[in-house]
Amino acid sequence: MNIAFNKPSQPVDFSAIIKQKDQVIDTLNIKINKLQEQLDWFKKQIFGKKSERILDFPASQMPLFDLAGVEPPAPEKTTITYDRNKARKNKGADTISFPDNLRVKQVKLDIPENEKVCQDTGEPLVCIGNDISRKLGRTPEQFFILEYLIPKYASKSRPENGV
């Protein structure tokens, strides 16, 4: 059995072929490394600890995988309707109504006479009204309404001082 080899017409440059194959191998190694990084990242997202699952990339750092042209799915929006009771506004009125036949006992809470003089001008303050607070009181035999009268005083010449 004789095997005959044909001689090429031109000499083959094996160094050029080796360089070309080395470039292809380097390119493939870079691609394999990038894909391995992506695979490690995805494994960490799926199987990693909860605190390490979502990785945020800074704006300057490019993500490990290319998402050009891929848009995340739009979230579905649903409309929820419900009825809410309107809140009652308390206008400061007593919530308890007292019967008319109860006697009323008035207690006047007043400030001392030396405080009824304006601190700035020295003139006497004028009573401009009363605040009335009503509470239900009782003695062992009967109920009564305890009404507190609290006078309000203000200065005539200096209304900005307030009450």
Side-chain angles (χ1 to χ4, degrees):
M1 184 187 228
N2 285 338
I3 299 177
F5 290 104
N6 293 337
K7 290 186 177 181
S9 59
Q10 293 181 347
V12 177
D13 186 13
F14 289 112
S15 63
I17 293 173
I18 292 173
K19 284 182 183 179
Q20 185 180 9
K21 290 189 179 200
D22 285 343
Q23 288 177 352
V24 170
I25 290 172
D26 289 342
T27 306
L28 290 176
N29 279 338
I30 291 171
K31 192 170 188 175
I32 288 171
N33 287 338
K34 186 173 182 181
L35 290 173
Q36 187 63 44
E37 286 177 5
Q38 288 180 10
L39 181 63
D40 292 342
W41 186 85
F42 281 118
K43 282 181 181 178
K44 193 172 210 177
Q45 294 300 304
I46 295 172
F47 303 113
K49 291 183 180 177
K50 282 189 174 186
S51 62
E52 299 174 354
R53 278 199 184 164
I54 303 299
L55 300 176
D56 291 329
F57 293 104
S60 62
Q61 182 183 0
M62 199 166 139
L64 298 174
F65 45 90
D66 186 22
L67 295 176
V70 178
E71 292 184 22
E76 295 181 21
K77 294 183 180 180
T78 58
T79 303
I80 300 172
T81 59
Y82 61 94
D83 294 331
R84 184 188 311 195
N85 292 336
K86 191 173 183 181
R88 289 188 309 145
K89 292 184 180 178
N90 188 0
K91 296 181 181 174
D94 289 334
T95 55
I96 298 174
S97 60
F98 298 112
D100 294 334
N101 61 351
L102 290 180
R103 67 181 179 92
V104 178
K105 182 179 177 182
Q106 287 189 343
V107 177
K108 187 171 183 179
L109 303 175
D110 203 357
I111 58 175
E113 291 296 324
N114 59 351
E115 291 183 18
K116 293 183 182 178
V117 178
C118 181
Q119 299 285 339
D120 297 334
T121 61
E123 68 182 29
L125 298 177
V126 178
C127 183
I128 59 170
N130 292 313
D131 282 336
I132 299 175
S133 173
R134 301 181 84 192
K135 296 185 180 188
L136 184 64
R138 90 176 169 86
T139 59
E141 307 96 31
Q142 63 186 356
F143 288 96
F144 59 91
I145 297 173
L146 191 57
E147 192 173 77
Y148 292 99
L149 296 174
I150 305 166
K152 298 186 283 186
Y153 295 96
S155 174
K156 280 186 176 179
S157 61
R158 295 238 169 156
E160 66 272 1
N161 286 350
V163 179

PDB file of all heavy atoms in Angstrom, residues 91-122:
ATOM      1  N   LYS A  91     -67.877  69.669  65.591  1.00  0.00           N
ATOM      2  CA  LYS A  91     -67.847  71.132  65.647  1.00  0.00           C
ATOM      3  C   LYS A  91     -67.667  71.643  67.063  1.00  0.00           C
ATOM      4  O   LYS A  91     -67.928  72.797  67.349  1.00  0.00           O
ATOM      5  CB  LYS A  91     -69.123  71.699  65.039  1.00  0.00           C
ATOM      6  CG  LYS A  91     -69.258  71.376  63.570  1.00  0.00           C
ATOM      7  CD  LYS A  91     -70.515  71.955  62.981  1.00  0.00           C
ATOM      8  CE  LYS A  91     -70.605  71.593  61.519  1.00  0.00           C
ATOM      9  NZ  LYS A  91     -71.849  72.007  60.924  1.00  0.00           N
ATOM     10  N   GLY A  92     -67.223  70.776  67.965  1.00  0.00           N
ATOM     11  CA  GLY A  92     -66.992  71.199  69.336  1.00  0.00           C
ATOM     12  C   GLY A  92     -68.229  71.173  70.192  1.00  0.00           C
ATOM     13  O   GLY A  92     -68.191  71.519  71.355  1.00  0.00           O
ATOM     14  N   ALA A  93     -69.361  70.779  69.648  1.00  0.00           N
ATOM     15  CA  ALA A  93     -70.599  70.727  70.433  1.00  0.00           C
ATOM     16  C   ALA A  93     -70.546  69.499  71.332  1.00  0.00           C
ATOM     17  O   ALA A  93     -69.889  68.515  71.040  1.00  0.00           O
ATOM     18  CB  ALA A  93     -71.794  70.653  69.505  1.00  0.00           C
ATOM     19  N   ASP A  94     -71.247  69.592  72.451  1.00  0.00           N
ATOM     20  CA  ASP A  94     -71.302  68.451  73.362  1.00  0.00           C
ATOM     21  C   ASP A  94     -71.932  67.273  72.650  1.00  0.00           C
ATOM     22  O   ASP A  94     -72.908  67.402  71.917  1.00  0.00           O
ATOM     23  CB  ASP A  94     -72.117  68.796  74.610  1.00  0.00           C
ATOM     24  CG  ASP A  94     -71.407  69.771  75.517  1.00  0.00           C
ATOM     25  OD1 ASP A  94     -70.167  69.806  75.486  1.00  0.00           O
ATOM     26  OD2 ASP A  94     -72.101  70.473  76.262  1.00  0.00           O
ATOM     27  N   THR A  95     -71.396  66.103  72.888  1.00  0.00           N
ATOM     28  CA  THR A  95     -71.989  64.915  72.297  1.00  0.00           C
ATOM     29  C   THR A  95     -73.107  64.383  73.186  1.00  0.00           C
ATOM     30  O   THR A  95     -73.917  63.598  72.750  1.00  0.00           O
ATOM     31  CB  THR A  95     -70.925  63.827  72.103  1.00  0.00           C
ATOM     32  OG1 THR A  95     -70.289  63.565  73.351  1.00  0.00           O
ATOM     33  CG2 THR A  95     -69.889  64.266  71.087  1.00  0.00           C
ATOM     34  N   ILE A  96     -73.117  64.849  74.435  1.00  0.00           N
ATOM     35  CA  ILE A  96     -74.158  64.430  75.367  1.00  0.00           C
ATOM     36  C   ILE A  96     -75.166  65.569  75.503  1.00  0.00           C
ATOM     37  O   ILE A  96     -74.797  66.719  75.710  1.00  0.00           O
ATOM     38  CB  ILE A  96     -73.562  64.122  76.758  1.00  0.00           C
ATOM     39  CG1 ILE A  96     -72.557  62.971  76.656  1.00  0.00           C
ATOM     40  CG2 ILE A  96     -74.645  63.781  77.752  1.00  0.00           C
ATOM     41  CD1 ILE A  96     -71.811  62.704  77.941  1.00  0.00           C
ATOM     42  N   SER A  97     -76.421  65.249  75.368  1.00  0.00           N
ATOM     43  CA  SER A  97     -77.444  66.276  75.602  1.00  0.00           C
ATOM     44  C   SER A  97     -78.005  66.064  77.005  1.00  0.00           C
ATOM     45  O   SER A  97     -78.309  64.933  77.404  1.00  0.00           O
ATOM     46  CB  SER A  97     -78.548  66.194  74.548  1.00  0.00           C
ATOM     47  OG  SER A  97     -79.158  64.928  74.603  1.00  0.00           O
ATOM     48  N   PHE A  98     -78.099  67.150  77.758  1.00  0.00           N
ATOM     49  CA  PHE A  98     -78.560  67.078  79.141  1.00  0.00           C
ATOM     50  C   PHE A  98     -80.053  67.341  79.194  1.00  0.00           C
ATOM     51  O   PHE A  98     -80.573  68.193  78.461  1.00  0.00           O
ATOM     52  CB  PHE A  98     -77.822  68.113  79.998  1.00  0.00           C
ATOM     53  CG  PHE A  98     -76.337  67.891  80.050  1.00  0.00           C
ATOM     54  CD1 PHE A  98     -75.469  68.782  79.460  1.00  0.00           C
ATOM     55  CD2 PHE A  98     -75.810  66.787  80.705  1.00  0.00           C
ATOM     56  CE1 PHE A  98     -74.107  68.586  79.508  1.00  0.00           C
ATOM     57  CE2 PHE A  98     -74.445  66.583  80.761  1.00  0.00           C
ATOM     58  CZ  PHE A  98     -73.589  67.476  80.165  1.00  0.00           C
ATOM     59  N   PRO A  99     -80.777  66.651  80.061  1.00  0.00           N
ATOM     60  CA  PRO A  99     -82.211  66.922  80.210  1.00  0.00           C
ATOM     61  C   PRO A  99     -82.434  68.326  80.766  1.00  0.00           C
ATOM     62  O   PRO A  99     -81.591  68.884  81.461  1.00  0.00           O
ATOM     63  CB  PRO A  99     -82.693  65.862  81.211  1.00  0.00           C
ATOM     64  CG  PRO A  99     -81.604  64.854  81.313  1.00  0.00           C
ATOM     65  CD  PRO A  99     -80.351  65.503  80.858  1.00  0.00           C
ATOM     66  N   ASP A 100     -83.594  68.890  80.470  1.00  0.00           N
ATOM     67  CA  ASP A 100     -83.907  70.257  80.898  1.00  0.00           C
ATOM     68  C   ASP A 100     -84.207  70.352  82.390  1.00  0.00           C
ATOM     69  O   ASP A 100     -84.087  71.427  82.980  1.00  0.00           O
ATOM     70  CB  ASP A 100     -85.126  70.793  80.118  1.00  0.00           C
ATOM     71  CG  ASP A 100     -84.797  70.957  78.635  1.00  0.00           C
ATOM     72  OD1 ASP A 100     -83.597  71.136  78.322  1.00  0.00           O
ATOM     73  OD2 ASP A 100     -85.733  70.913  77.821  1.00  0.00           O
ATOM     74  N   ASN A 101     -84.586  69.271  83.034  1.00  0.00           N
ATOM     75  CA  ASN A 101     -85.008  69.346  84.431  1.00  0.00           C
ATOM     76  C   ASN A 101     -83.836  69.270  85.416  1.00  0.00           C
ATOM     77  O   ASN A 101     -84.046  69.324  86.617  1.00  0.00           O
ATOM     78  CB  ASN A 101     -86.028  68.254  84.744  1.00  0.00           C
ATOM     79  CG  ASN A 101     -85.448  66.857  84.537  1.00  0.00           C
ATOM     80  OD1 ASN A 101     -84.363  66.703  84.016  1.00  0.00           O
ATOM     81  ND2 ASN A 101     -86.213  65.864  84.941  1.00  0.00           N
ATOM     82  N   LEU A 102     -82.611  69.161  84.959  1.00  0.00           N
ATOM     83  CA  LEU A 102     -81.462  69.123  85.863  1.00  0.00           C
ATOM     84  C   LEU A 102     -81.093  70.532  86.285  1.00  0.00           C
ATOM     85  O   LEU A 102     -81.115  71.465  85.486  1.00  0.00           O
ATOM     86  CB  LEU A 102     -80.253  68.461  85.182  1.00  0.00           C
ATOM     87  CG  LEU A 102     -80.333  66.973  84.920  1.00  0.00           C
ATOM     88  CD1 LEU A 102     -79.056  66.489  84.242  1.00  0.00           C
ATOM     89  CD2 LEU A 102     -80.574  66.199  86.201  1.00  0.00           C
ATOM     90  N   ARG A 103     -80.748  70.685  87.559  1.00  0.00           N
ATOM     91  CA  ARG A 103     -80.339  72.013  88.020  1.00  0.00           C
ATOM     92  C   ARG A 103     -78.922  72.283  87.552  1.00  0.00           C
ATOM     93  O   ARG A 103     -78.132  71.359  87.308  1.00  0.00           O
ATOM     94  CB  ARG A 103     -80.464  72.138  89.538  1.00  0.00           C
ATOM     95  CG  ARG A 103     -79.533  71.291  90.332  1.00  0.00           C
ATOM     96  CD  ARG A 103     -79.788  71.495  91.841  1.00  0.00           C
ATOM     97  NE  ARG A 103     -78.894  70.656  92.600  1.00  0.00           N
ATOM     98  CZ  ARG A 103     -77.708  71.037  93.042  1.00  0.00           C
ATOM     99  NH1 ARG A 103     -77.290  72.265  92.826  1.00  0.00           N
ATOM    100  NH2 ARG A 103     -76.951  70.203  93.728  1.00  0.00           N
ATOM    101  N   VAL A 104     -78.569  73.545  87.402  1.00  0.00           N
ATOM    102  CA  VAL A 104     -77.261  73.976  86.913  1.00  0.00           C
ATOM    103  C   VAL A 104     -76.504  74.628  88.049  1.00  0.00           C
ATOM    104  O   VAL A 104     -77.002  75.542  88.707  1.00  0.00           O
ATOM    105  CB  VAL A 104     -77.411  74.961  85.726  1.00  0.00           C
ATOM    106  CG1 VAL A 104     -76.049  75.447  85.266  1.00  0.00           C
ATOM    107  CG2 VAL A 104     -78.177  74.314  84.591  1.00  0.00           C
ATOM    108  N   LYS A 105     -75.304  74.161  88.290  1.00  0.00           N
ATOM    109  CA  LYS A 105     -74.445  74.755  89.301  1.00  0.00           C
ATOM    110  C   LYS A 105     -73.288  75.424  88.575  1.00  0.00           C
ATOM    111  O   LYS A 105     -72.536  74.760  87.858  1.00  0.00           O
ATOM    112  CB  LYS A 105     -73.926  73.660  90.234  1.00  0.00           C
ATOM    113  CG  LYS A 105     -73.064  74.158  91.350  1.00  0.00           C
ATOM    114  CD  LYS A 105     -72.629  72.996  92.236  1.00  0.00           C
ATOM    115  CE  LYS A 105     -71.712  73.489  93.322  1.00  0.00           C
ATOM    116  NZ  LYS A 105     -71.229  72.387  94.163  1.00  0.00           N
ATOM    117  N   GLN A 106     -73.154  76.746  88.711  1.00  0.00           N
ATOM    118  CA  GLN A 106     -72.127  77.483  87.994  1.00  0.00           C
ATOM    119  C   GLN A 106     -70.906  77.696  88.887  1.00  0.00           C
ATOM    120  O   GLN A 106     -71.026  78.041  90.055  1.00  0.00           O
ATOM    121  CB  GLN A 106     -72.644  78.844  87.532  1.00  0.00           C
ATOM    122  CG  GLN A 106     -73.611  78.753  86.382  1.00  0.00           C
ATOM    123  CD  GLN A 106     -73.931  80.129  85.816  1.00  0.00           C
ATOM    124  OE1 GLN A 106     -73.696  81.140  86.450  1.00  0.00           O
ATOM    125  NE2 GLN A 106     -74.498  80.139  84.621  1.00  0.00           N
ATOM    126  N   VAL A 107     -69.738  77.498  88.276  1.00  0.00           N
ATOM    127  CA  VAL A 107     -68.469  77.745  88.947  1.00  0.00           C
ATOM    128  C   VAL A 107     -67.710  78.727  88.066  1.00  0.00           C
ATOM    129  O   VAL A 107     -67.527  78.487  86.870  1.00  0.00           O
ATOM    130  CB  VAL A 107     -67.651  76.442  89.112  1.00  0.00           C
ATOM    131  CG1 VAL A 107     -66.308  76.735  89.738  1.00  0.00           C
ATOM    132  CG2 VAL A 107     -68.429  75.433  89.913  1.00  0.00           C
ATOM    133  N   LYS A 108     -67.298  79.851  88.649  1.00  0.00           N
ATOM    134  CA  LYS A 108     -66.585  80.864  87.871  1.00  0.00           C
ATOM    135  C   LYS A 108     -65.090  80.731  88.182  1.00  0.00           C
ATOM    136  O   LYS A 108     -64.680  80.853  89.335  1.00  0.00           O
ATOM    137  CB  LYS A 108     -67.073  82.262  88.219  1.00  0.00           C
ATOM    138  CG  LYS A 108     -66.506  83.321  87.327  1.00  0.00           C
ATOM    139  CD  LYS A 108     -67.182  84.659  87.556  1.00  0.00           C
ATOM    140  CE  LYS A 108     -66.634  85.681  86.590  1.00  0.00           C
ATOM    141  NZ  LYS A 108     -67.273  86.974  86.764  1.00  0.00           N
ATOM    142  N   LEU A 109     -64.317  80.437  87.155  1.00  0.00           N
ATOM    143  CA  LEU A 109     -62.863  80.343  87.269  1.00  0.00           C
ATOM    144  C   LEU A 109     -62.285  81.627  86.699  1.00  0.00           C
ATOM    145  O   LEU A 109     -62.331  81.842  85.486  1.00  0.00           O
ATOM    146  CB  LEU A 109     -62.332  79.121  86.497  1.00  0.00           C
ATOM    147  CG  LEU A 109     -62.902  77.766  86.900  1.00  0.00           C
ATOM    148  CD1 LEU A 109     -62.376  76.680  85.985  1.00  0.00           C
ATOM    149  CD2 LEU A 109     -62.545  77.458  88.343  1.00  0.00           C
ATOM    150  N   ASP A 110     -61.764  82.487  87.532  1.00  0.00           N
ATOM    151  CA  ASP A 110     -61.279  83.796  87.084  1.00  0.00           C
ATOM    152  C   ASP A 110     -59.804  83.934  87.445  1.00  0.00           C
ATOM    153  O   ASP A 110     -59.299  83.260  88.350  1.00  0.00           O
ATOM    154  CB  ASP A 110     -62.099  84.904  87.747  1.00  0.00           C
ATOM    155  CG  ASP A 110     -62.068  86.200  86.957  1.00  0.00           C
ATOM    156  OD1 ASP A 110     -61.361  86.248  85.926  1.00  0.00           O
ATOM    157  OD2 ASP A 110     -62.748  87.161  87.374  1.00  0.00           O
ATOM    158  N   ILE A 111     -59.132  84.839  86.756  1.00  0.00           N
ATOM    159  CA  ILE A 111     -57.731  85.103  87.051  1.00  0.00           C
ATOM    160  C   ILE A 111     -57.639  86.112  88.196  1.00  0.00           C
ATOM    161  O   ILE A 111     -58.593  86.857  88.443  1.00  0.00           O
ATOM    162  CB  ILE A 111     -56.987  85.619  85.791  1.00  0.00           C
ATOM    163  CG1 ILE A 111     -57.617  86.889  85.240  1.00  0.00           C
ATOM    164  CG2 ILE A 111     -56.949  84.551  84.715  1.00  0.00           C
ATOM    165  CD1 ILE A 111     -56.864  87.505  84.076  1.00  0.00           C
ATOM    166  N   PRO A 112     -56.506  86.186  88.899  1.00  0.00           N
ATOM    167  CA  PRO A 112     -56.379  87.159  89.994  1.00  0.00           C
ATOM    168  C   PRO A 112     -56.447  88.601  89.484  1.00  0.00           C
ATOM    169  O   PRO A 112     -56.189  88.873  88.309  1.00  0.00           O
ATOM    170  CB  PRO A 112     -54.994  86.870  90.583  1.00  0.00           C
ATOM    171  CG  PRO A 112     -54.564  85.561  90.028  1.00  0.00           C
ATOM    172  CD  PRO A 112     -55.348  85.309  88.792  1.00  0.00           C
ATOM    173  N   GLU A 113     -56.797  89.501  90.374  1.00  0.00           N
ATOM    174  CA  GLU A 113     -56.970  90.914  90.014  1.00  0.00           C
ATOM    175  C   GLU A 113     -55.673  91.538  89.478  1.00  0.00           C
ATOM    176  O   GLU A 113     -55.712  92.378  88.589  1.00  0.00           O
ATOM    177  CB  GLU A 113     -57.462  91.726  91.236  1.00  0.00           C
ATOM    178  CG  GLU A 113     -58.873  91.399  91.665  1.00  0.00           C
ATOM    179  CD  GLU A 113     -59.906  91.763  90.608  1.00  0.00           C
ATOM    180  OE1 GLU A 113     -59.745  92.784  89.907  1.00  0.00           O
ATOM    181  OE2 GLU A 113     -60.891  91.013  90.470  1.00  0.00           O
ATOM    182  N   ASN A 114     -54.514  91.135  89.984  1.00  0.00           N
ATOM    183  CA  ASN A 114     -53.262  91.750  89.519  1.00  0.00           C
ATOM    184  C   ASN A 114     -52.920  91.339  88.082  1.00  0.00           C
ATOM    185  O   ASN A 114     -52.127  91.978  87.414  1.00  0.00           O
ATOM    186  CB  ASN A 114     -52.106  91.407  90.460  1.00  0.00           C
ATOM    187  CG  ASN A 114     -51.871  89.917  90.572  1.00  0.00           C
ATOM    188  OD1 ASN A 114     -52.660  89.126  90.087  1.00  0.00           O
ATOM    189  ND2 ASN A 114     -50.791  89.550  91.235  1.00  0.00           N
ATOM    190  N   GLU A 115     -53.525  90.275  87.567  1.00  0.00           N
ATOM    191  CA  GLU A 115     -53.288  89.862  86.180  1.00  0.00           C
ATOM    192  C   GLU A 115     -54.307  90.479  85.228  1.00  0.00           C
ATOM    193  O   GLU A 115     -54.227  90.254  84.022  1.00  0.00           O
ATOM    194  CB  GLU A 115     -53.328  88.340  86.081  1.00  0.00           C
ATOM    195  CG  GLU A 115     -52.159  87.660  86.761  1.00  0.00           C
ATOM    196  CD  GLU A 115     -52.198  86.156  86.582  1.00  0.00           C
ATOM    197  OE1 GLU A 115     -52.912  85.672  85.677  1.00  0.00           O
ATOM    198  OE2 GLU A 115     -51.529  85.462  87.366  1.00  0.00           O
ATOM    199  N   LYS A 116     -55.274  91.258  85.726  1.00  0.00           N
ATOM    200  CA  LYS A 116     -56.280  91.891  84.880  1.00  0.00           C
ATOM    201  C   LYS A 116     -55.822  93.253  84.381  1.00  0.00           C
ATOM    202  O   LYS A 116     -56.617  94.060  83.941  1.00  0.00           O
ATOM    203  CB  LYS A 116     -57.599  92.044  85.637  1.00  0.00           C
ATOM    204  CG  LYS A 116     -58.268  90.722  85.948  1.00  0.00           C
ATOM    205  CD  LYS A 116     -59.586  90.947  86.636  1.00  0.00           C
ATOM    206  CE  LYS A 116     -60.243  89.631  86.998  1.00  0.00           C
ATOM    207  NZ  LYS A 116     -61.503  89.804  87.698  1.00  0.00           N
ATOM    208  N   VAL A 117     -54.509  93.504  84.440  1.00  0.00           N
ATOM    209  CA  VAL A 117     -53.919  94.765  83.989  1.00  0.00           C
ATOM    210  C   VAL A 117     -52.964  94.441  82.848  1.00  0.00           C
ATOM    211  O   VAL A 117     -52.196  93.478  82.917  1.00  0.00           O
ATOM    212  CB  VAL A 117     -53.168  95.458  85.150  1.00  0.00           C
ATOM    213  CG1 VAL A 117     -52.522  96.741  84.679  1.00  0.00           C
ATOM    214  CG2 VAL A 117     -54.101  95.722  86.309  1.00  0.00           C
ATOM    215  N   CYS A 118     -52.985  95.258  81.778  1.00  0.00           N
ATOM    216  CA  CYS A 118     -52.106  95.063  80.626  1.00  0.00           C
ATOM    217  C   CYS A 118     -50.654  95.247  81.058  1.00  0.00           C
ATOM    218  O   CYS A 118     -50.316  96.237  81.705  1.00  0.00           O
ATOM    219  CB  CYS A 118     -52.471  96.040  79.511  1.00  0.00           C
ATOM    220  SG  CYS A 118     -51.450  95.846  78.031  1.00  0.00           S
ATOM    221  N   GLN A 119     -49.798  94.300  80.692  1.00  0.00           N
ATOM    222  CA  GLN A 119     -48.386  94.351  81.080  1.00  0.00           C
ATOM    223  C   GLN A 119     -47.658  95.518  80.422  1.00  0.00           C
ATOM    224  O   GLN A 119     -46.761  96.112  81.013  1.00  0.00           O
ATOM    225  CB  GLN A 119     -47.693  93.037  80.671  1.00  0.00           C
ATOM    226  CG  GLN A 119     -48.280  91.804  81.324  1.00  0.00           C
ATOM    227  CD  GLN A 119     -47.871  91.681  82.781  1.00  0.00           C
ATOM    228  OE1 GLN A 119     -46.892  92.260  83.218  1.00  0.00           O
ATOM    229  NE2 GLN A 119     -48.659  90.933  83.541  1.00  0.00           N
ATOM    230  N   ASP A 120     -48.045  95.875  79.184  1.00  0.00           N
ATOM    231  CA  ASP A 120     -47.337  96.925  78.440  1.00  0.00           C
ATOM    232  C   ASP A 120     -47.817  98.324  78.804  1.00  0.00           C
ATOM    233  O   ASP A 120     -47.020  99.227  79.027  1.00  0.00           O
ATOM    234  CB  ASP A 120     -47.524  96.701  76.925  1.00  0.00           C
ATOM    235  CG  ASP A 120     -46.903  95.381  76.474  1.00  0.00           C
ATOM    236  OD1 ASP A 120     -45.953  94.914  77.134  1.00  0.00           O
ATOM    237  OD2 ASP A 120     -47.368  94.833  75.454  1.00  0.00           O
ATOM    238  N   THR A 121     -49.132  98.511  78.831  1.00  0.00           N
ATOM    239  CA  THR A 121     -49.671  99.866  79.015  1.00  0.00           C
ATOM    240  C   THR A 121     -50.100 100.146  80.453  1.00  0.00           C
ATOM    241  O   THR A 121     -50.208 101.309  80.840  1.00  0.00           O
ATOM    242  CB  THR A 121     -50.877 100.091  78.086  1.00  0.00           C
ATOM    243  OG1 THR A 121     -51.893  99.137  78.422  1.00  0.00           O
ATOM    244  CG2 THR A 121     -50.497  99.952  76.642  1.00  0.00           C
ATOM    245  N   GLY A 122     -50.405  99.137  81.252  1.00  0.00           N
ATOM    246  CA  GLY A 122     -50.847  99.344  82.622  1.00  0.00           C
ATOM    247  C   GLY A 122     -52.337  99.621  82.730  1.00  0.00           C
ATOM    248  O   GLY A 122     -52.843  99.850  83.822  1.00  0.00           O
TER     249      GLY A 122
END
